[in-house]
Amino acid sequence: GGIALTARAENEKGGATASGALVFDKDASTTLTTTVTDAAGDEHEVTYRFWKAVTYVAKPVDEKYQSLNISLPVTIDGKAVDATGAPILFANSVGGYLPASVAEATGVGGGGMGGGGTAPGGAPSASAAPSASATSGTESGSSAQLAGGRTVSLPQLGLAAGYVVVEPGARGRTLKNSAGEYYGTAPAAIVDLKAAVRYLRANKGRVPGDTDRIFSTGTSAGGALSALLGASGDSPLYDAYLKEIGAADASDAVFATGAWCPITDLEHADGAYEWNWGTNKLSTGAQADQTVSRELKSQFAEYQAGLKLRGLGGFGTLNARNYDDYLLKTYLWPSATRYLAALSDADRATYLAKHAFITWDGEKATFTWAGFLTHVGARKKDAPAFDLFTFPTDSSDTMSGDINNEFGAGTEQYRHFTLHSLREDKGSSARLASDIPEKLRLMNPMYHLVDRVNPGRSRHWWIRLGSADSDTSLTVSANLAAAAHQLGDDVSHRYYWDAGHGANEDAGDFIEWVAKTAG
Ligand code: DHB
């Protein structure tokens, strides 16, 4: 910092905030070396400069979370690289809408995972089991589960590809101050990620990387936040929140958005869930209450009709009657086809013998929606999946009532965010808390793509989801893709065949897409 730097920053157009506190200190890095195993399995030795725990707001509520790490590759496999103008991989590690801190990281991707073998904490993916491992925060919402089960870290892959990697922390829903007030619930996480982007853009030319080529990434809740960051770029709706924490006065738009299994469109997710998985049994063998399920499902029909979204690939306007057909033709058949085509003849024959619901004509896999649902098997969540009728009493299970907690406020840990669940719980004349409608707009990328078309949104979208992921409805990411596509944006959306929650099976392709898309 210092007065001279402050004055200079204030004088630069589009420079740091007037407080001057947010000037990036170029010299405050250490130099580290790591070995990264890329998506193809090849090892790369990378020397990089590492800036750690850089507070990105002038008035932090909790610096442990409101700070970011930056990694700049200097040599890759012994060759000097100049990445000062490279694309920026902006990789959040949020899982479960829980707090995410990078302040204790020892290197890129959390550090200490050298060969890219296992994620820190030993979990295959924090986002696959957020209750178990994401509370500690730093790690691995940004780790990628490849098809063979090997886990790689997207930040490490990005670094080895010669990109600048920025890993932002963000507040999350469980944070509570000494007065018992929740200070990390909606919209804290998105406000923090926006503040982190603003910090980078305010320090254009001082921070490494091209601040006009920011690629946001995240998985699950982190995927939802990444999609939201992309959709809501430069929206004035967040201004008061950003001002309150002393965010830099700069653009928070990102150039491109990567979102893996986004748990988003939360206020419509209960209905979508029942439309998709309503008749599937739970892992206990029990069936969700079918009266509840059918009621919620009818909400999906109404919601989907209101969206007026056309499907990709020339498919007509999506509705509750044709969406199964749309998912099959656009995503699930091609997904199974890619999977089967990549197998040896013998392995394919074995798979097909075991999964007779699939018809393979020698080139292409087809099957019915009913066959597919039976194949996926147990639904992960009971009905309703998100806005619970009654709030959890066992607070040791942080994932139960997760979204009720995300919409908590003040000293209230859990709040309803749909009228349906609220009235089921509190009676037919109950009203949603007055701030809930605004919080929903602040948290939903669909609002910024459909209800109000946001000109500051990113124009490039990479969206991925496992076909067997029943953490939310398969329609959620498809609607996100359709909404962006309808606006003329560049959309790549695929489903990974038979993959569950947190999968990232084509991380290498994503890394290439970044280079191609950055231009
Ligand atoms: C995540 C998973 C969920 O099922 C959910 O409801 C919210 C978040 C996650 O993995 O981040």
Side-chain angles (χ1 to χ4, degrees):
I3 289 161
L5 266 178
T6 302
R8 200 187 324 147
E10 283 176 26
N11 290 337
E12 276 171 27
K13 195 159 173 282
T17 183
S19 82
L22 296 175
V23 180
F24 178 66
D25 183 354
K26 277 184 186 174
D27 300 325
S29 71
T30 52
T31 299
L32 303 173
T33 299
T34 189
T35 305
V36 176
T37 306
D38 70 17
D42 296 323
E43 289 195 352
H44 301 282
E45 187 169 87
V46 185
T47 308
Y48 64 104
R49 292 180 69 183
F50 185 60
W51 288 263
K52 181 172 159 163
V54 179
T55 302
Y56 55 67
V57 288
K59 294 186 269 179
V61 182
D62 194 333
E63 281 182 282
K64 179 174 174 196
Y65 301 101
Q66 294 170 309
S67 61
L68 55 78
N69 295 346
I70 303 180
S71 300
L72 169 70
V74 181
T75 71
I76 300 175
D77 297 327
K79 275 201 292 262
V81 294
D82 178 7
T84 51
I88 295 172
L89 200 64
F90 184 84
N92 84 64
S93 59
V94 174
Y97 287 98
L98 293 163
S101 172
V102 298
E104 314 268 287
T106 55
V108 66
M113 39 202 292
T118 47
S125 156
S127 41
S131 59
S133 47
T135 38
S136 58
T138 63
E139 49 277 22
S140 44
S142 49
S143 66
Q145 182 106 53
L146 298 180
R150 189 164 63 85
T151 302
V152 294
S153 138
L154 209 51
Q156 292 200 345
L157 292 183
L159 188 76
Y163 306 145
V164 170
V165 179
V166 175
E167 298 174 83
R171 287 169 295 167
R173 62 186 168 81
T174 51
L175 297 172
K176 193 161 60 155
N177 66 20
S178 55
E181 294 157 345
Y182 287 85
Y183 64 89
T185 55
I190 185 63
V191 170
D192 285 352
L193 294 180
K194 282 176 171 290
V197 171
R198 286 180 171 213
Y199 176 87
L200 297 174
R201 301 194 76 138
N203 280 288
K204 180 181 175 136
R206 275 188 296 269
V207 289
D210 183 350
T211 54
D212 293 327
R213 290 291 180 276
I214 296 176
F215 288 72
S216 168
T217 67
T219 300
S220 196
L225 289 167
S226 183
L228 180 58
L229 189 68
S232 69
D234 284 341
S235 165
L237 284 187
Y238 304 82
D239 282 351
Y241 292 97
L242 287 160
K243 195 166 178 193
E244 193 182 326
I245 57 173
D249 185 12
S251 169
D252 54 60
V254 297
F255 180 74
T257 304
W260 287 260
C261 53
I263 304 290
T264 193
D265 201 5
L266 298 167
E267 66 270 41
H268 304 111
D270 286 337
Y273 198 94
E274 297 313 316
W275 175 87
N276 193 153
W277 309 115
T279 55
N280 285 39
K281 296 214 165 83
L282 289 152
S283 60
T284 57
Q287 196 154 42
D289 185 321
Q290 290 299 291
T291 308
V292 170
S293 180
R294 277 191 297 269
E295 256 174 49
L296 292 168
K297 184 176 160 175
S298 70
Q299 296 173 1
F300 174 72
E302 198 180 323
Y303 172 58
Q304 194 63 48
L307 285 175
K308 298 186 172 64
L309 287 178
R310 290 186 303 278
L312 270 67
F315 200 93
T317 302
L318 300 171
N319 60 48
R321 291 172 314 284
N322 65 17
Y323 217 126
D324 49 358
D325 195 37
Y326 176 60
L327 287 174
L328 289 171
K329 289 179 174 151
T330 312
Y331 295 115
L332 300 173
W333 292 351
S335 171
T337 298
R338 275 190 302 273
Y339 175 84
L340 288 163
L343 295 181
S344 69
D345 289 351
D347 287 351
R348 187 183 317 114
T350 304
Y351 187 94
L352 290 168
K354 211 163 130 192
H355 302 291
F357 77 104
I358 299 178
T359 301
W360 177 256
D361 69 359
E363 275 182 16
K364 202 179 154 211
T366 54
F367 41 84
T368 65
W369 178 245
F372 169 74
L373 289 179
T374 304
H375 172 66
V376 173
R379 55 185 278 167
K380 184 156 173 182
K381 297 177 178 180
D382 204 347
F386 292 92
D387 193 351
L388 307 188
F389 288 162
T390 50
F391 298 145
T393 46
D394 171 13
S395 58
S396 69
D397 179 1
T398 53
M399 281 310 283
S400 175
D402 57 334
I403 307 304
N404 293 113
N405 181 201
E406 174 63 7
F407 288 103
T411 57
E412 283 188 274
Q413 182 176 8
Y414 302 111
R415 294 194 306 167
H416 288 294
F417 55 95
T418 69
L419 202 55
H420 185 90
S421 289
L422 171 77
R423 292 189 167 172
E424 193 68 33
D425 187 6
K426 306 280 187 216
S428 61
S429 59
R431 287 162 178 264
L432 288 168
S434 60
D435 62 314
I436 289 286
E438 191 210 1
K439 298 276 165 67
L440 293 171
R441 289 192 289 274
L442 292 167
M443 293 307 294
N444 197 335
M446 297 298 282
Y447 174 79
H448 303 275
L449 299 175
V450 179
D451 301 52
R452 296 289 144 84
V453 176
N454 176 25
R457 74 185 183 281
S458 75
R459 300 297 204 268
H460 305 276
W461 301 82
W462 177 277
I463 305 168
R464 293 293 186 271
L465 179 64
S467 67
D469 186 343
S470 67
D471 274 53
T472 192
S473 171
L474 298 184
T475 60
V476 169
S477 64
N479 271 341
L480 187 63
H485 182 257
Q486 191 143 317
L487 297 176
D489 298 353
D490 156 34
V491 177
S492 170
H493 184 23
R494 281 186 174 188
Y495 289 61
Y496 305 124
W497 185 245
D498 277 353
H501 191 57
N504 182 351
E505 299 189 346
D506 56 355
D509 292 345
F510 174 73
I511 294 295
E512 282 176 30
W513 181 81
V514 170
K516 205 175 66 194
T517 305

